[in-house]
Amino acid sequence: VTNEHSFVYATSGFNAVTNSLFVSFLKEALSYLGRKEVKSQVEEGYFSSKVNGDQDVANFMNAHAARDSHAKEDAISQRVLRCVAKNFDPDAVESCKGTQALGFFQRTLGKAIAYYSNQYQGQKDSVEYQVLKGMLREFECDALWGYHGFI
């Protein structure tokens, strides 16, 4: 006998993520891209929209258990990159593999930072930026389920 659990998020909660918090996550992800080992992962397609993000949750939970705040930030940056790929390159044309993938992430993160920096809190975001915020909010929910052993 096996148990299977399915979870549905009825709303992404994009309004629950403040612009300043989200900008800090985006800037951290941009900084994360500067590491040599991360550049290799980007070129291999690790963050493409075709790769499942469950490993991000596992990385976050392991870092939380180890009380390693830097590793937690890395896990959040990993999820931010994966969300950017899924939202702005759903067919994995630019984010998939090769040297152009790094440029795709740098350009897209830069545009998102500029966008959120120029929005006032509570202002209605355009759809693609609502979705991006909501995707990160869903990561929080995934981490909560991971905390309870459902990853």
Side-chain angles (χ1 to χ4, degrees), residues 71-113:
K72 283 170 71 171
E73 289 172 2
D74 288 353
I76 293 169
S77 291
Q78 291 164 6
R79 181 51 72 95
V80 167
L81 294 175
R82 206 171 310 283
C83 291
V84 164
K86 285 185 178 182
N87 194 41
F88 293 102
D89 189 29
D91 296 324
V93 174
E94 294 184 81
S95 63
C96 188
K97 292 186 179 180
T99 55
Q100 81 267 10
L102 184 61
F104 162 78
F105 283 111
Q106 291 169 330
R107 279 189 314 278
T108 308
L109 286 169
K111 287 178 186 176
I113 290 167

Side-chain angles (χ1 to χ4, degrees), residues 3 9 15 19 47 72 84 98 103 116 124 147:
N3 291 329
Y9 304 124
N15 282 331
N19 291 347
F47 301 107
K72 283 170 71 171
V84 164
Y116 289 116
K124 184 171 172 72
Y147 182 78

Side-chain angles (χ1 to χ4, degrees), residues 2 4 17 30 33 41-42 49 55 58 78 80 97 104 126 130 139:
T2 62
E4 183 179 308
V17 181
L30 193 56
L33 281 174
Q41 288 179 315
V42 168
S49 59
Q55 187 60 44
Q78 291 164 6
V80 167
K97 292 186 179 180
F104 162 78
S126 61
Q130 272 183 4
F139 174 63

